[in-house]
Amino acid sequence: MARYLTGIQPSGALHIGNYFGALKPAVELQELGEAFYFIADYHALTTINDPEQLRKNVLGVALDFLACGLDPDKACFFRQSAIPIVTELAWILSTVTPMGLLERSHSYKDKIAHGLSASHGLFAYPVLMAADILLYESDIVPVGQDQKQHLEITRDIVVKFNEVYGPILKLPEPRIRDEVATVVGLDGQKMSKSYGNTLEIFAPEKVLRKKVMSIVTDSVPIEAPKDPSNSIILQLYRLVAGPAEVEAMTESFRAGGTGYGEYKKQLFEGLWSMFEPMRKRRAELESNLEFVETVLKRGAERALTTAEQTISRVRRAVGIGR
Ligand code: ADP
Ligand code: TRP
């Protein structure tokens, strides 16, 4: 059975772009193979330096994932930092990682361009990510397009390591989720935390409604027909409504006589009812945080077994220990 592994950074409340682009596919994959999903808290230290915030985010992501259907009996779900061996592997890998490989990282250059300071952690980020993937002997790594280069770096590191020490590490295959369309944000750009154009999955009703009402539209008057082809409202509505409802809204756009405010209300209703069961589940989990901790602890115990086998093999191969 193939092992699927992916990490998610606890960098804030998850939005519906994250849901359709990452959470939902991850939940579907847990049925197909052996799923390893972890919360990348060591990675998050490259951007968050408030300990309370980090702890809060980690718990938030755990709740979001479990509420959205991650089944802890199927997937192995854990905190990255629960297995500190990963940092040992990262160090060992770093000794065979060419500087040039990391210097070419788009993600690093992007982050610096966006004002993050150039720390060693940020620079070495792809090496820790390689360690995540290799420690758990992953076959397939489902990620978004933005992580493609990181997967290439991982594969280069494997080739390099195995060249020097023999066939020790398993070469993983990326699975780029480009079949999942990019979810559009309130302003028409890609929905992203960094653009401030998001709809959070678990935002309170009032907040979510207000955000939906703020979706950018053109200024076609109520009576006039409206163009359905580029409408942000319709693009989002497609994610939460059935084909018949989408068709009805499209027709109504063409007919004219209805204002955008009305469509936004329908979108809000669709969104609100789609996530209703997840909200309920999240509230239950929130009042049972011990259960959440138990899930993460059990996940870590399972992950540790594989991690120890890999690190022993690696230590032996490189000559660490007796
Ligand atoms: P953000 O852009 O809000 O910072 P992240 O980069 O943390 O989001 O995204 C985590 C995962 O969620 C990514 O791997 C990506 O696949 C998915 N994702 C993020 N935004 C979108 C979007 N607008 N549409 C589809 N998937 C998305
Ligand atoms: N860098 C990934 C992201 O920002 C998160 C991540 C960390 C990851 N380690 C991983 C993803 C290992 C896949 C495999 O989305």
Side-chain angles (χ1 to χ4, degrees), residues 220-226 249-259 263:
V220 174
I222 293 186
E223 327 72 66
K226 297 168 184 67
M249 190 183 280
T250 310
E251 282 312 309
S252 166
F253 261 63
R254 292 208 181 97
T258 308
Y263 298 129

Side-chain angles (χ1 to χ4, degrees), residues 310-321:
T310 308
I311 200 71
S312 302
R313 231 175 32 243
V314 168
R315 286 182 192 139
R316 219 176 303 125
V318 302
I320 291 294

Side-chain angles (χ1 to χ4, degrees), residues 15 17-18 21-22 144 146 177 181-183 190-193:
H15 54 73
N18 300 138
D146 57 326
R177 294 179 292 238
T182 301
V183 176
K190 173 193 174 215
M191 185 175 287
S192 170
K193 250 183 328 281

Side-chain angles (χ1 to χ4, degrees), residues 9 46-47 106-117 122 125 150:
Q9 281 211 64
T46 59
T47 48
H106 306 307
S107 153
Y108 175 72
K109 285 186 265 190
D110 264 18
K111 286 172 182 167
I112 302 301
H114 281 89
L116 286 182
S117 49
L122 206 57
Y125 185 111
H150 285 153

Side-chain angles (χ1 to χ4, degrees), residues 5-9 38 40 43 80 125 128-129 132-133 141-143 146-147 150-151:
L5 171 136
T6 198
I8 180 128
Q9 281 211 64
F38 65 90
H43 276 112
Q80 181 186 33
Y125 185 111
L128 180 57
M129 187 159 156
D132 290 324
I133 295 169
V141 185
V143 285
D146 57 326
Q147 298 297 314
H150 285 153
L151 264 294

